[in-house]
Amino acid sequence: DTEVTQTPKHLVMGMTNKKSLKCEQHMGHRAMYWYKQKAKKPPELMFVYSYEKLSINESVPSRFSPECPNSSLLNLHLHALQPEDSALYLCASSQDMGYYEQYFGPGTRLTVT
Amino acid sequence: GQQVMQIPQYQHVQEGEDFTTYCNSSTTLSNIQWYKQRPGGHPVFLIQLVKSGEVKKQKRLTFQFGEAKKNSSLHITATQTTDVGTYFCAGLSTSGAGSYQLTFGKGTKLSVIP
């Protein structure tokens, strides 16, 4: 199974809402990533978890809160987002950090109204 | 910080023509990875290059890593409509603290005219 799954596929939320994005992989990968991708732009790294511990936080605003409940799951909690946060949120995993290919999920298309 | 420049931004080719996209890094890279993202899809890993001067082929795709490990290219021979998408290079650099940073180029969007 080389699949990374993400739910939901689409999400519309108001600026005062709290929502969560979910990501799951069953490849035994020890590194998991959250990326943000705006239209016609490359993926922009937000967070990296390595062995269930937050390894990299690319100066992301606190309205985005990541969580890694176990080695297969990665969540991104959203609160008080801004319209400019509307984007495709991609989850990815790799065997470990560094010299390993990343497997991307299909993404969650987020619209903030 | 590390920057990875990728050109061209867009490329329109007739089916059967060749296509090349180039990446240049401001710093020496540990490796470089290539991904393809189809319209409406997500990035899919194509290949990883690690050694200086490395050349790898996948059917009609040829990937090269420069001698100085600062540049790379992807060449597609005789493009097909299935090659449509955005091709991203992503350069890996390491810090003295043992952490890794994968930086994506801006991508080259390939359109193939049947």
Side-chain angles (χ1 to χ4, degrees), chain A residues 11-27:
Chain A
L11 179 63
V12 179
M13 60 185 291
M15 289 189 284
T16 58
N17 292 159
K18 285 185 180 181
K19 295 287 184 182
S20 296
L21 309 184
K22 297 184 184 299
C23 174
E24 191 167 5
Q25 57 89 13
H26 294 288
M27 294 177 277

Side-chain angles (χ1 to χ4, degrees), chain A residues 90-113:
Chain A
L90 293 161
C91 173
S93 71
S94 63
Q95 186 175 336
D96 203 335
M97 288 180 64
Y99 292 76
Y100 299 96
E101 63 191 88
Q102 294 187 18
Y103 292 80
F104 283 81
T108 294
R109 178 74 61 187
L110 174 67
T111 303
V112 182
T113 60

Side-chain angles (χ1 to χ4, degrees), chain B residues 31-76:
Chain B
N31 73 13
I32 194 156
Q33 299 176 0
W34 285 90
Y35 292 82
K36 176 184 178 181
Q37 186 170 19
R38 287 199 162 97
H42 57 276
V44 175
F45 175 81
L46 294 176
I47 209 156
Q48 174 172 271
L49 304 170
V50 179
K51 299 177 183 176
S52 170
E54 190 169 14
V55 178
K56 287 188 176 181
K57 293 190 176 183
Q58 287 180 352
K59 297 183 180 178
R60 294 179 293 106
L61 279 60
T62 301
F63 303 83
Q64 294 188 333
F65 201 11
E67 293 291 340
K69 301 183 73 173
K70 284 188 172 184
N71 62 287
S72 181
S73 65
L74 157 60
H75 179 82
I76 302 178

